[in-house]
Structure formats: C-alpha cells, structure tokens
mmCIF file of all heavy atoms in Angstrom:
data_model
loop_
_atom_site.group_PDB
_atom_site.id
_atom_site.type_symbol
_atom_site.label_atom_id
_atom_site.label_comp_id
_atom_site.label_asym_id
_atom_site.label_seq_id
_atom_site.Cartn_x
_atom_site.Cartn_y
_atom_site.Cartn_z
ATOM 1 N N GLU A 1 0.784 -1.208 0.021
ATOM 2 C CA GLU A 1 -0.027 0.009 0.000
ATOM 3 C C GLU A 1 0.861 1.284 0.017
ATOM 4 O O GLU A 1 0.752 2.162 0.837
ATOM 5 C CB GLU A 1 -0.946 -0.002 1.197
ATOM 6 C CG GLU A 1 -1.814 -1.275 1.248
ATOM 7 C CD GLU A 1 -3.161 -1.080 1.873
ATOM 8 O OE1 GLU A 1 -3.797 -0.003 1.563
ATOM 9 O OE2 GLU A 1 -3.635 -1.896 2.557
ATOM 10 N N PRO A 2 1.778 1.429 -0.952
ATOM 11 C CA PRO A 2 2.721 2.525 -0.912
ATOM 12 C C PRO A 2 2.159 3.920 -1.161
ATOM 13 O O PRO A 2 2.794 4.869 -0.802
ATOM 14 C CB PRO A 2 3.710 2.142 -2.018
ATOM 15 C CG PRO A 2 2.908 1.412 -3.014
ATOM 16 C CD PRO A 2 1.940 0.567 -2.168
ATOM 17 N N LEU A 3 0.971 3.990 -1.665
ATOM 18 C CA LEU A 3 0.389 5.305 -2.012
ATOM 19 C C LEU A 3 -0.720 5.771 -1.056
ATOM 20 O O LEU A 3 -1.268 6.837 -1.208
ATOM 21 C CB LEU A 3 -0.148 5.311 -3.441
ATOM 22 C CG LEU A 3 0.868 4.840 -4.494
ATOM 23 C CD1 LEU A 3 0.160 4.970 -5.868
ATOM 24 C CD2 LEU A 3 2.172 5.643 -4.445
ATOM 25 N N SER A 4 -1.014 4.951 -0.076
ATOM 26 C CA SER A 4 -2.218 5.208 0.705
ATOM 27 C C SER A 4 -2.114 6.468 1.623
ATOM 28 O O SER A 4 -3.133 7.011 2.060
ATOM 29 C CB SER A 4 -2.555 3.985 1.646
ATOM 30 O OG SER A 4 -1.464 3.674 2.501
ATOM 31 N N ASN A 5 -0.854 6.911 1.877
ATOM 32 C CA ASN A 5 -0.669 8.128 2.691
ATOM 33 C C ASN A 5 -0.681 9.441 1.876
ATOM 34 O O ASN A 5 -0.488 10.506 2.468
ATOM 35 C CB ASN A 5 0.607 8.031 3.544
ATOM 36 C CG ASN A 5 0.517 6.974 4.604
ATOM 37 O OD1 ASN A 5 -0.579 6.631 5.059
ATOM 38 N ND2 ASN A 5 1.656 6.466 5.086
ATOM 39 N N LEU A 6 -0.821 9.311 0.622
ATOM 40 C CA LEU A 6 -0.760 10.504 -0.224
ATOM 41 C C LEU A 6 -2.178 11.015 -0.548
ATOM 42 O O LEU A 6 -3.145 10.307 -0.385
ATOM 43 C CB LEU A 6 -0.104 10.177 -1.609
ATOM 44 C CG LEU A 6 1.242 9.622 -1.523
ATOM 45 C CD1 LEU A 6 1.793 9.291 -2.948
ATOM 46 C CD2 LEU A 6 2.266 10.519 -0.820
ATOM 47 N N ASP A 7 -2.301 12.311 -0.769
ATOM 48 C CA ASP A 7 -3.586 12.897 -1.162
ATOM 49 C C ASP A 7 -4.089 12.302 -2.489
ATOM 50 O O ASP A 7 -3.247 11.764 -3.241
ATOM 51 C CB ASP A 7 -3.595 14.419 -1.135
ATOM 52 C CG ASP A 7 -2.654 15.002 -2.205
ATOM 53 O OD1 ASP A 7 -2.943 14.837 -3.380
ATOM 54 O OD2 ASP A 7 -1.679 15.652 -1.838
ATOM 55 N N ALA A 8 -5.328 12.472 -2.847
ATOM 56 C CA ALA A 8 -5.958 11.836 -3.947
ATOM 57 C C ALA A 8 -5.272 12.231 -5.297
ATOM 58 O O ALA A 8 -5.006 11.363 -6.151
ATOM 59 C CB ALA A 8 -7.400 12.144 -4.021
ATOM 60 N N LYS A 9 -4.943 13.548 -5.456
ATOM 61 C CA LYS A 9 -4.348 13.979 -6.716
ATOM 62 C C LYS A 9 -2.958 13.425 -6.904
ATOM 63 O O LYS A 9 -2.605 12.868 -7.930
ATOM 64 C CB LYS A 9 -4.301 15.490 -6.708
ATOM 65 C CG LYS A 9 -3.828 16.104 -8.056
ATOM 66 C CD LYS A 9 -3.938 17.593 -8.052
ATOM 67 C CE LYS A 9 -3.545 18.216 -9.395
ATOM 68 N NZ LYS A 9 -2.203 17.988 -9.771
ATOM 69 N N LEU A 10 -2.134 13.414 -5.823
ATOM 70 C CA LEU A 10 -0.747 12.907 -5.903
ATOM 71 C C LEU A 10 -0.788 11.417 -6.049
ATOM 72 O O LEU A 10 0.048 10.870 -6.807
ATOM 73 C CB LEU A 10 0.005 13.339 -4.631
ATOM 74 C CG LEU A 10 1.520 12.940 -4.602
ATOM 75 C CD1 LEU A 10 2.193 13.501 -5.770
ATOM 76 C CD2 LEU A 10 2.116 13.496 -3.322
ATOM 77 N N ARG A 11 -1.771 10.757 -5.400
ATOM 78 C CA ARG A 11 -1.830 9.318 -5.554
ATOM 79 C C ARG A 11 -2.114 8.940 -6.997
ATOM 80 O O ARG A 11 -1.486 7.969 -7.527
ATOM 81 C CB ARG A 11 -2.985 8.776 -4.650
ATOM 82 C CG ARG A 11 -2.997 7.286 -4.520
ATOM 83 C CD ARG A 11 -3.790 6.856 -3.249
ATOM 84 N NE ARG A 11 -5.205 7.212 -3.352
ATOM 85 C CZ ARG A 11 -5.811 8.047 -2.506
ATOM 86 N NH1 ARG A 11 -5.145 8.610 -1.503
ATOM 87 N NH2 ARG A 11 -7.093 8.295 -2.647
ATOM 88 N N ALA A 12 -2.995 9.655 -7.694
ATOM 89 C CA ALA A 12 -3.287 9.363 -9.086
ATOM 90 C C ALA A 12 -2.036 9.629 -9.994
ATOM 91 O O ALA A 12 -1.752 8.836 -10.922
ATOM 92 C CB ALA A 12 -4.471 10.232 -9.587
ATOM 93 N N GLU A 13 -1.240 10.650 -9.677
ATOM 94 C CA GLU A 13 -0.019 10.942 -10.405
ATOM 95 C C GLU A 13 1.003 9.836 -10.210
ATOM 96 O O GLU A 13 1.691 9.418 -11.093
ATOM 97 C CB GLU A 13 0.519 12.356 -10.039
ATOM 98 C CG GLU A 13 -0.333 13.460 -10.450
ATOM 99 C CD GLU A 13 0.131 14.785 -9.855
ATOM 100 O OE1 GLU A 13 1.096 14.800 -9.065
ATOM 101 O OE2 GLU A 13 -0.427 15.843 -10.131
ATOM 102 N N MET A 14 1.113 9.428 -8.926
ATOM 103 C CA MET A 14 2.155 8.402 -8.636
ATOM 104 C C MET A 14 1.743 7.019 -9.219
ATOM 105 O O MET A 14 2.701 6.213 -9.563
ATOM 106 C CB MET A 14 2.288 8.264 -7.098
ATOM 107 C CG MET A 14 3.069 9.395 -6.440
ATOM 108 S SD MET A 14 4.692 9.570 -7.016
ATOM 109 C CE MET A 14 5.432 8.027 -6.349
ATOM 110 N N ARG A 15 0.520 6.757 -9.429
ATOM 111 C CA ARG A 15 0.085 5.513 -10.071
ATOM 112 C C ARG A 15 0.752 5.467 -11.512
ATOM 113 O O ARG A 15 1.256 4.434 -11.906
ATOM 114 C CB ARG A 15 -1.382 5.387 -10.242
ATOM 115 C CG ARG A 15 -2.154 5.062 -8.988
ATOM 116 C CD ARG A 15 -3.651 5.143 -9.300
ATOM 117 N NE ARG A 15 -4.421 5.224 -8.103
ATOM 118 C CZ ARG A 15 -5.606 5.807 -7.967
ATOM 119 N NH1 ARG A 15 -6.198 6.350 -9.046
ATOM 120 N NH2 ARG A 15 -6.266 5.888 -6.868
ATOM 121 N N VAL A 16 0.656 6.615 -12.199
ATOM 122 C CA VAL A 16 1.171 6.647 -13.558
ATOM 123 C C VAL A 16 2.643 6.454 -13.523
ATOM 124 O O VAL A 16 3.249 5.705 -14.324
ATOM 125 C CB VAL A 16 0.829 8.031 -14.226
ATOM 126 C CG1 VAL A 16 1.471 8.142 -15.619
ATOM 127 C CG2 VAL A 16 -0.697 8.193 -14.300
ATOM 128 N N GLU A 17 3.362 7.146 -12.609
ATOM 129 C CA GLU A 17 4.797 7.017 -12.440
ATOM 130 C C GLU A 17 5.244 5.586 -12.090
ATOM 131 O O GLU A 17 6.200 5.075 -12.695
ATOM 132 C CB GLU A 17 5.312 8.037 -11.426
ATOM 133 C CG GLU A 17 5.166 9.468 -11.859
ATOM 134 C CD GLU A 17 5.935 10.423 -10.887
ATOM 135 O OE1 GLU A 17 6.780 9.911 -10.151
ATOM 136 O OE2 GLU A 17 5.618 11.605 -10.903
ATOM 137 N N LEU A 18 4.520 4.997 -11.196
ATOM 138 C CA LEU A 18 4.823 3.615 -10.806
ATOM 139 C C LEU A 18 4.712 2.693 -11.979
ATOM 140 O O LEU A 18 5.580 1.822 -12.239
ATOM 141 C CB LEU A 18 3.855 3.130 -9.706
ATOM 142 C CG LEU A 18 4.307 3.194 -8.273
ATOM 143 C CD1 LEU A 18 3.213 2.780 -7.360
ATOM 144 C CD2 LEU A 18 5.537 2.316 -8.088
ATOM 145 N N ARG A 19 3.658 2.840 -12.791
ATOM 146 C CA ARG A 19 3.418 1.927 -13.901
ATOM 147 C C ARG A 19 4.459 2.185 -14.930
ATOM 148 O O ARG A 19 5.055 1.209 -15.487
ATOM 149 C CB ARG A 19 2.029 2.259 -14.520
ATOM 150 C CG ARG A 19 1.622 1.266 -15.615
ATOM 151 C CD ARG A 19 1.530 -0.136 -15.027
ATOM 152 N NE ARG A 19 0.897 -1.056 -15.992
ATOM 153 C CZ ARG A 19 1.161 -2.339 -16.043
ATOM 154 N NH1 ARG A 19 2.023 -2.892 -15.236
ATOM 155 N NH2 ARG A 19 0.599 -3.089 -16.952
ATOM 156 N N GLU A 20 4.879 3.420 -15.212
ATOM 157 C CA GLU A 20 5.975 3.699 -16.187
ATOM 158 C C GLU A 20 7.314 3.156 -15.700
ATOM 159 O O GLU A 20 8.059 2.579 -16.478
ATOM 160 C CB GLU A 20 6.077 5.194 -16.381
ATOM 161 C CG GLU A 20 4.908 5.778 -17.193
ATOM 162 C CD GLU A 20 4.968 7.264 -17.396
ATOM 163 O OE1 GLU A 20 5.854 7.901 -16.799
ATOM 164 O OE2 GLU A 20 4.177 7.787 -18.181
ATOM 165 N N LEU A 21 7.587 3.322 -14.373
ATOM 166 C CA LEU A 21 8.829 2.870 -13.795
ATOM 167 C C LEU A 21 8.937 1.337 -13.910
ATOM 168 O O LEU A 21 9.970 0.754 -14.304
ATOM 169 C CB LEU A 21 8.932 3.300 -12.387
ATOM 170 C CG LEU A 21 10.205 2.845 -11.599
ATOM 171 C CD1 LEU A 21 11.451 3.422 -12.271
ATOM 172 C CD2 LEU A 21 10.134 3.276 -10.141
ATOM 173 N N GLN A 22 7.856 0.613 -13.591
ATOM 174 C CA GLN A 22 7.839 -0.772 -13.652
ATOM 175 C C GLN A 22 8.079 -1.312 -15.049
ATOM 176 O O GLN A 22 8.794 -2.246 -15.320
ATOM 177 C CB GLN A 22 6.539 -1.323 -13.091
ATOM 178 C CG GLN A 22 6.482 -2.855 -12.834
ATOM 179 C CD GLN A 22 6.067 -3.635 -14.033
ATOM 180 O OE1 GLN A 22 5.422 -3.131 -14.939
ATOM 181 N NE2 GLN A 22 6.306 -4.959 -13.963
ATOM 182 N N GLY A 23 7.491 -0.577 -16.009
ATOM 183 C CA GLY A 23 7.650 -0.964 -17.423
ATOM 184 C C GLY A 23 9.062 -0.768 -17.907
ATOM 185 O O GLY A 23 9.672 -1.539 -18.639
ATOM 186 N N ARG A 24 9.665 0.391 -17.518
ATOM 187 C CA ARG A 24 11.031 0.691 -17.959
ATOM 188 C C ARG A 24 12.058 -0.297 -17.361
ATOM 189 O O ARG A 24 12.946 -0.735 -18.068
ATOM 190 C CB ARG A 24 11.443 2.098 -17.489
ATOM 191 C CG ARG A 24 10.828 3.213 -18.258
ATOM 192 C CD ARG A 24 11.634 4.494 -18.174
ATOM 193 N NE ARG A 24 11.889 4.920 -16.774
ATOM 194 C CZ ARG A 24 11.033 5.700 -16.081
ATOM 195 N NH1 ARG A 24 9.857 6.109 -16.619
ATOM 196 N NH2 ARG A 24 11.335 6.046 -14.863
ATOM 197 N N LEU A 25 11.883 -0.637 -16.155
ATOM 198 C CA LEU A 25 12.802 -1.573 -15.465
ATOM 199 C C LEU A 25 12.534 -3.037 -15.801
ATOM 200 O O LEU A 25 13.395 -3.908 -15.663
ATOM 201 C CB LEU A 25 12.790 -1.387 -13.977
ATOM 202 C CG LEU A 25 13.259 -0.048 -13.447
ATOM 203 C CD1 LEU A 25 13.113 0.038 -11.910
ATOM 204 C CD2 LEU A 25 14.685 0.245 -13.792
ATOM 205 N N GLY A 26 11.288 -3.356 -16.135
ATOM 206 C CA GLY A 26 10.943 -4.714 -16.363
ATOM 207 C C GLY A 26 10.980 -5.542 -15.131
ATOM 208 O O GLY A 26 11.145 -6.805 -15.159
ATOM 209 N N ILE A 27 10.798 -4.929 -14.003
ATOM 210 C CA ILE A 27 10.819 -5.616 -12.768
ATOM 211 C C ILE A 27 9.591 -6.457 -12.525
ATOM 212 O O ILE A 27 8.570 -6.144 -13.034
ATOM 213 C CB ILE A 27 11.067 -4.642 -11.534
ATOM 214 C CG1 ILE A 27 9.915 -3.669 -11.422
ATOM 215 C CG2 ILE A 27 12.367 -3.967 -11.529
ATOM 216 C CD1 ILE A 27 9.869 -2.745 -10.238
ATOM 217 N N THR A 28 9.739 -7.522 -11.736
ATOM 218 C CA THR A 28 8.598 -8.339 -11.341
ATOM 219 C C THR A 28 8.082 -7.799 -9.971
ATOM 220 O O THR A 28 8.920 -7.577 -9.130
ATOM 221 C CB THR A 28 9.051 -9.811 -11.129
ATOM 222 O OG1 THR A 28 9.612 -10.275 -12.350
ATOM 223 C CG2 THR A 28 7.848 -10.679 -10.736
ATOM 224 N N SER A 29 6.828 -7.481 -9.888
ATOM 225 C CA SER A 29 6.364 -6.863 -8.702
ATOM 226 C C SER A 29 4.988 -7.390 -8.236
ATOM 227 O O SER A 29 4.168 -7.791 -9.066
ATOM 228 C CB SER A 29 6.304 -5.337 -8.884
ATOM 229 O OG SER A 29 5.556 -4.994 -10.042
ATOM 230 N N VAL A 30 4.858 -7.404 -6.898
ATOM 231 C CA VAL A 30 3.575 -7.764 -6.267
ATOM 232 C C VAL A 30 3.176 -6.572 -5.436
ATOM 233 O O VAL A 30 3.956 -6.056 -4.659
ATOM 234 C CB VAL A 30 3.724 -9.040 -5.413
ATOM 235 C CG1 VAL A 30 2.375 -9.371 -4.862
ATOM 236 C CG2 VAL A 30 4.247 -10.179 -6.169
ATOM 237 N N TYR A 31 1.955 -6.136 -5.605
ATOM 238 C CA TYR A 31 1.498 -4.879 -5.073
ATOM 239 C C TYR A 31 0.231 -5.134 -4.283
ATOM 240 O O TYR A 31 -0.667 -5.819 -4.664
ATOM 241 C CB TYR A 31 1.186 -3.952 -6.241
ATOM 242 C CG TYR A 31 0.898 -2.508 -5.930
ATOM 243 C CD1 TYR A 31 1.860 -1.537 -6.143
ATOM 244 C CD2 TYR A 31 -0.388 -2.033 -5.501
ATOM 245 C CE1 TYR A 31 1.628 -0.204 -5.913
ATOM 246 C CE2 TYR A 31 -0.612 -0.731 -5.224
ATOM 247 C CZ TYR A 31 0.353 0.209 -5.451
ATOM 248 O OH TYR A 31 0.104 1.582 -5.199
ATOM 249 N N VAL A 32 0.143 -4.582 -3.048
ATOM 250 C CA VAL A 32 -0.959 -4.758 -2.186
ATOM 251 C C VAL A 32 -1.765 -3.423 -2.074
ATOM 252 O O VAL A 32 -1.154 -2.413 -1.872
ATOM 253 C CB VAL A 32 -0.575 -5.243 -0.754
ATOM 254 C CG1 VAL A 32 -1.666 -4.998 0.270
ATOM 255 C CG2 VAL A 32 -0.275 -6.752 -0.763
ATOM 256 N N THR A 33 -3.063 -3.486 -2.191
ATOM 257 C CA THR A 33 -3.910 -2.275 -2.054
ATOM 258 C C THR A 33 -5.341 -2.764 -1.732
ATOM 259 O O THR A 33 -5.734 -3.877 -2.036
ATOM 260 C CB THR A 33 -3.846 -1.383 -3.240
ATOM 261 O OG1 THR A 33 -4.605 -0.179 -2.930
ATOM 262 C CG2 THR A 33 -4.483 -2.064 -4.486
ATOM 263 N N HIS A 34 -6.056 -1.812 -1.050
ATOM 264 C CA HIS A 34 -7.529 -2.006 -0.871
ATOM 265 C C HIS A 34 -8.238 -1.138 -1.835
ATOM 266 O O HIS A 34 -9.527 -1.157 -1.849
ATOM 267 C CB HIS A 34 -7.898 -1.708 0.535
ATOM 268 C CG HIS A 34 -7.697 -0.255 0.935
ATOM 269 N ND1 HIS A 34 -6.484 0.222 1.429
ATOM 270 C CD2 HIS A 34 -8.498 0.809 0.863
ATOM 271 C CE1 HIS A 34 -6.576 1.490 1.652
ATOM 272 N NE2 HIS A 34 -7.739 1.897 1.330
ATOM 273 N N ASP A 35 -7.548 -0.322 -2.618
ATOM 274 C CA ASP A 35 -8.118 0.688 -3.519
ATOM 275 C C ASP A 35 -8.379 0.040 -4.883
ATOM 276 O O ASP A 35 -7.394 -0.230 -5.668
ATOM 277 C CB ASP A 35 -7.194 1.823 -3.646
ATOM 278 C CG ASP A 35 -7.760 3.042 -4.488
ATOM 279 O OD1 ASP A 35 -8.514 2.733 -5.415
ATOM 280 O OD2 ASP A 35 -7.433 4.159 -4.196
ATOM 281 N N GLN A 36 -9.623 -0.343 -5.184
ATOM 282 C CA GLN A 36 -9.847 -1.031 -6.432
ATOM 283 C C GLN A 36 -9.552 -0.234 -7.698
ATOM 284 O O GLN A 36 -9.089 -0.729 -8.734
ATOM 285 C CB GLN A 36 -11.349 -1.552 -6.510
ATOM 286 C CG GLN A 36 -12.357 -0.497 -6.151
ATOM 287 C CD GLN A 36 -12.963 0.239 -7.316
ATOM 288 O OE1 GLN A 36 -12.690 -0.061 -8.481
ATOM 289 N NE2 GLN A 36 -13.681 1.250 -7.023
ATOM 290 N N GLU A 37 -9.698 1.103 -7.626
ATOM 291 C CA GLU A 37 -9.375 1.930 -8.789
ATOM 292 C C GLU A 37 -7.845 1.871 -9.047
ATOM 293 O O GLU A 37 -7.395 1.799 -10.158
ATOM 294 C CB GLU A 37 -9.800 3.418 -8.458
ATOM 295 C CG GLU A 37 -9.549 4.327 -9.633
ATOM 296 C CD GLU A 37 -10.009 5.769 -9.342
ATOM 297 O OE1 GLU A 37 -10.937 5.894 -8.552
ATOM 298 O OE2 GLU A 37 -9.424 6.678 -9.886
ATOM 299 N N GLU A 38 -7.066 1.903 -7.952
ATOM 300 C CA GLU A 38 -5.595 1.788 -8.081
ATOM 301 C C GLU A 38 -5.215 0.433 -8.717
ATOM 302 O O GLU A 38 -4.412 0.373 -9.623
ATOM 303 C CB GLU A 38 -5.043 1.906 -6.691
ATOM 304 C CG GLU A 38 -3.509 2.076 -6.628
ATOM 305 C CD GLU A 38 -3.115 2.551 -5.255
ATOM 306 O OE1 GLU A 38 -3.384 3.748 -4.927
ATOM 307 O OE2 GLU A 38 -2.542 1.724 -4.510
ATOM 308 N N ALA A 39 -5.809 -0.632 -8.191
ATOM 309 C CA ALA A 39 -5.524 -1.993 -8.679
ATOM 310 C C ALA A 39 -5.820 -2.085 -10.204
ATOM 311 O O ALA A 39 -5.006 -2.631 -10.948
ATOM 312 C CB ALA A 39 -6.302 -3.009 -7.931
ATOM 313 N N LEU A 40 -6.984 -1.599 -10.647
ATOM 314 C CA LEU A 40 -7.338 -1.712 -12.039
ATOM 315 C C LEU A 40 -6.441 -0.896 -12.918
ATOM 316 O O LEU A 40 -6.106 -1.260 -14.107
ATOM 317 C CB LEU A 40 -8.824 -1.241 -12.218
ATOM 318 C CG LEU A 40 -9.908 -2.066 -11.525
ATOM 319 C CD1 LEU A 40 -11.233 -1.417 -11.782
ATOM 320 C CD2 LEU A 40 -9.846 -3.518 -12.028
ATOM 321 N N ALA A 41 -5.906 0.276 -12.376
ATOM 322 C CA ALA A 41 -5.123 1.165 -13.214
ATOM 323 C C ALA A 41 -3.721 0.668 -13.429
ATOM 324 O O ALA A 41 -3.167 0.997 -14.547
ATOM 325 C CB ALA A 41 -5.093 2.616 -12.571
ATOM 326 N N ILE A 42 -3.083 -0.017 -12.537
ATOM 327 C CA ILE A 42 -1.625 -0.265 -12.577
ATOM 328 C C ILE A 42 -1.267 -1.689 -12.893
ATOM 329 O O ILE A 42 -0.092 -2.039 -12.997
ATOM 330 C CB ILE A 42 -0.975 0.205 -11.344
ATOM 331 C CG1 ILE A 42 -1.313 -0.622 -10.136
ATOM 332 C CG2 ILE A 42 -1.174 1.735 -11.090
ATOM 333 C CD1 ILE A 42 -0.550 -0.340 -8.868
ATOM 334 N N SER A 43 -2.221 -2.614 -12.884
ATOM 335 C CA SER A 43 -1.892 -4.051 -12.815
ATOM 336 C C SER A 43 -1.963 -4.757 -14.153
ATOM 337 O O SER A 43 -2.767 -4.437 -15.084
ATOM 338 C CB SER A 43 -2.872 -4.789 -11.884
ATOM 339 O OG SER A 43 -2.925 -4.133 -10.629
ATOM 340 N N ASP A 44 -1.091 -5.768 -14.337
ATOM 341 C CA ASP A 44 -1.243 -6.730 -15.467
ATOM 342 C C ASP A 44 -2.311 -7.744 -15.082
ATOM 343 O O ASP A 44 -3.147 -8.035 -15.916
ATOM 344 C CB ASP A 44 0.073 -7.434 -15.741
ATOM 345 C CG ASP A 44 1.180 -6.521 -16.256
ATOM 346 O OD1 ASP A 44 0.901 -5.681 -17.120
ATOM 347 O OD2 ASP A 44 2.314 -6.576 -15.721
ATOM 348 N N ARG A 45 -2.306 -8.181 -13.879
ATOM 349 C CA ARG A 45 -3.341 -9.030 -13.323
ATOM 350 C C ARG A 45 -3.674 -8.647 -11.922
ATOM 351 O O ARG A 45 -2.844 -8.091 -11.176
ATOM 352 C CB ARG A 45 -2.895 -10.534 -13.332
ATOM 353 C CG ARG A 45 -2.931 -11.133 -14.734
ATOM 354 C CD ARG A 45 -2.714 -12.670 -14.624
ATOM 355 N NE ARG A 45 -1.416 -12.937 -13.961
ATOM 356 C CZ ARG A 45 -1.225 -14.016 -13.202
ATOM 357 N NH1 ARG A 45 -2.201 -14.840 -12.946
ATOM 358 N NH2 ARG A 45 -0.036 -14.256 -12.669
#
C-alpha cells in the first residue's frame, strides 16, 4: 500500500509514475492495495 498516505491527486499521479517505472525496469512486482481503482489502473493481473 505505498500510496495510501498521499492525497488523492498525488496518488493518481504516482500511479502513472509507478506503472511507467515498472515498465522501464521490467521488474517483477507484487502490489498490495484495498483501492480497487488503483488496482485496475496499474496491474497486469
């Protein structure tokens, strides 16, 4: 839940950055959240 302490606007911006960073690095990642909008936006599965 790395973005849960951020305000809504910054959280939305960081989702985009996280997704771009993960794509650039090709890292394997497992992400935990209770925010369904966040999960749908950044996940492969």
Side-chain angles (χ1 to χ4, degrees):
E1 305 213 38
L3 307 183
S4 60
N5 289 337
L6 304 178
D7 63 65
K9 185 174 185 297
L10 185 55
R11 192 160 64 241
E13 292 171 356
M14 286 298 293
R15 284 176 199 152
V16 176
E17 291 189 18
L18 261 177
R19 190 61 171 150
E20 289 180 349
L21 178 62
Q22 193 270 342
R24 286 203 305 273
L25 294 178
I27 58 174
T28 303
S29 50
V30 182
Y31 191 100
V32 160
T33 184
H34 63 273
D35 185 328
Q36 47 92 9
E37 184 179 332
E38 189 166 289
L40 296 177
I42 66 173
S43 309
D44 294 314
R45 285 188 302 145

